[in-house]
Amino acid sequence: MTNQKTTMTNLFLVAFAGLCLTIALAIAWVLGITLFFPDGVLAGLLVERADIIRAHIDYLMMAQFLFIFFLLFRQYAIDPPVWVVAACCFGAFFNPLAFLVRGLTPKPLVAIPVEAHFPFQAALSFTLTTVGFLTAVALVVRAAWKLRSVSTASGMDL
């Protein structure tokens, strides 16, 4: 156990990573069950299996990114701004959710190329994810750079 303090924002970040991982695992169970019981009731709810798989993979990736940011923030004693954590978590939840909704929503008889909610939701989610993740990376790079500068100035080599 280290003596580094876990800030409330970091605690929220790791908890949200756990939520994304839990969702990914639940989707994996659904996919597994429907693979072995393709004629079952549960399989009948999946309109587009490929989109459900995309949601599963995306939730896994988002959980991974959030866990990595948590560990990096903890390693470099970074207390990220609330807006950065909020942007990361919002995007990590809603990016994959778009695939999940598409995979569970019956398609209308008239061919509509894109669901009405999708462009706005995707634009907002993608923007917040990009801003949040890039800011998180910038915070870590800045902290690592400062640590390197301090250790170089003091004659220590990391």
Side-chain angles (χ1 to χ4, degrees):
M1 179 97 175
T2 65
N3 61 0
Q4 293 178 342
K5 183 178 123 186
T6 300
T7 64
M8 191 53 109
T9 50
N10 278 337
L11 185 60
F12 187 82
L13 189 66
V14 75
F16 209 87
L19 173 67
C20 289
L21 182 59
T22 302
I23 294 168
L25 293 172
I27 293 170
W29 273 96
V30 168
L31 289 168
I33 291 168
T34 58
L35 185 65
F36 291 109
F37 300 103
D39 297 325
V41 174
L42 191 56
L45 298 175
L46 306 185
V47 176
E48 185 58 55
R49 187 175 182 82
D51 281 329
I52 304 298
I53 293 169
R54 287 181 186 100
H56 166 68
I57 292 168
D58 210 5
Y59 273 119
L60 284 175
M61 288 187 335
M62 294 302 177
Q64 170 187 319
F65 291 139
L66 296 178
F67 278 125
I68 289 169
F69 287 138
F70 164 75
L71 292 172
L72 287 170
F73 289 160
R74 187 166 165 87
Q75 173 65 29
Y76 289 108
I78 298 169
D79 185 12
V82 170
W83 71 266
V84 172
V85 172
C88 289
C89 292
F90 184 92
F93 181 78
F94 284 102
N95 279 2
L97 184 64
F99 289 124
L100 192 59
V101 169
R102 287 175 50 107
L104 296 173
T105 305
K107 306 300 181 240
L109 295 176
V110 178
I112 299 173
V114 176
E115 289 87 358
H117 72 278
F118 191 75
F120 174 75
Q121 188 256 325
L124 178 63
S125 180
F126 295 172
T127 301
L128 287 174
T129 305
T130 301
V131 169
F133 283 14
L134 287 178
T135 304
V137 168
L139 291 171
V140 170
V141 168
R142 186 179 76 187
W145 187 266
K146 281 183 178 180
L147 182 63
R148 176 72 180 155
S149 298
V150 168
S151 66
T152 303
S154 66
M156 297 171 53
D157 190 23
L158 294 178

